[in-house]
Structures are given as structure tokens and as C-alpha cells.
Amino acid sequence: ITAAASGSGGGITPYVGVPFFRGNAGSTFTAGNCGGRTIVIPQNCSITDVTAFVSTANATAVIRPAIYSISGTGTINALLASGAQVTGPTYGINNYALTSPLSVNQGDVIWCMLQVLTTNTVFATTEVIGSGFFASAGALPNPAPGGTYGTLPMAVWPKVA
């Protein structure tokens, strides 16, 4: 899906890289991890939020958004942006604001991620290709830890302005 910031009217949504997913299907993401998927940016824009579809509301879960760069080999690399911790995701689409917007350019590839700090959380699932996660229970590491990443079919994507 190619999206642009919506000013008024029209059917354009302020999202890019929205994956196909089923809202009633879910995959549990374990607390103490940071995970997400790669997104190819279709146009110059600013990312304001990391968005995800939560399949099961969880009043005690604490989640933090993060955007990482991608290395030349496709692994998670430098922390580009993050946001404050948010408690209590609700069922459905949840937006997690970045501390400040991140400017990206057409063709950039990023890792759009969420860190789950407490309480396992169930997210809608999508394709496994281009997904990954690493252990992260405290401050977001910069750069991301090296090594092999597990796959995580979490429906997560950026919101843009």
C-alpha cells in the first residue's frame, strides 16, 4: 500500500507498509523482547508512530515503539527513533507515538519495531519474511545486538505525516 499524509477528504490513509493480517488470529510476543518487520518506504515522509494490531487487550502490558536502520546484510542496526512507554494496549489498531518524527526518504528500508517490556502481548500475525526480534528488557540498545534473530510474524507498520 502506498500512502500519503491525509490533509482532508479522500481515501488516502496515513500509513505505509500495512501488511495483510487477520484481526482474530494472534501470535503471543513474549515480554522482554523487541520485534517487528522491515518496511520499504515508498515516498519521502516523516514517521510519527509505530502502529500494530493487538488481538487481545492487555491492561498491564507496557510497550515502547522503536525504528531501527537496516544493515547491509539485512540485520537490525542503529536505533533511529523511539517513543515513551505506553501501558494497556486495547483490541484493534494501536498507535505508539515516537518522541519526535523521523524523516525518511523514498527507497529507505527500516525496521519498524515494538518493545514489549512487561506481560506477554498477542498481536495479529502476518508474513514471517522480513520479521525479527531480539531480547531487550530495559533501555533500547543502540546499536541492536548482533547475532541471529528469531522470526516474528507481528502485524506492525509505520504511521506517517
Side-chain angles (χ1 to χ4, degrees):
I1 291 177
T2 299
S6 57
S8 61
I12 298 175
T13 64
Y15 299 103
V16 295
V18 180
F20 171 80
F21 64 89
R22 293 184 203 164
N24 61 348
S27 181
T28 300
F29 188 42
T30 307
N33 287 287
C34 184
R37 55 198 270 298
T38 56
I39 304 288
V40 178
I41 302 300
Q43 63 194 44
N44 297 346
C45 59
S46 293
I47 299 172
T48 59
D49 301 69
V50 172
T51 302
F53 192 100
V54 175
S55 295
T56 304
N58 187 334
T60 61
V62 177
I63 296 173
R64 178 187 301 148
I67 304 287
Y68 279 86
S69 66
I70 190 168
S71 72
T73 59
T75 59
I76 305 163
N77 200 9
L79 179 64
L80 300 175
S82 64
Q85 297 176 9
V86 177
T87 301
T90 58
Y91 171 81
I93 293 174
N94 288 252
N95 292 306
Y96 301 96
L98 298 176
T99 303
S100 58
L102 174 66
S103 293
V104 290
N105 298 308
Q106 180 179 9
D108 286 352
V109 181
I110 58 159
W111 279 94
C112 188
M113 308 187 83
L114 290 175
Q115 180 187 38
V116 177
L117 294 161
T118 62
T119 314
N120 298 350
T121 304
V122 180
F123 294 96
T125 55
T126 186
E127 71 277 355
V128 172
I129 296 171
S131 70
F133 70 93
F134 57 85
S136 178
L140 288 164
N142 188 18
T148 304
Y149 302 110
T151 57
L152 174 72
M154 178 171 45
V156 59
W157 61 93
K159 182 178 178 186
V160 300

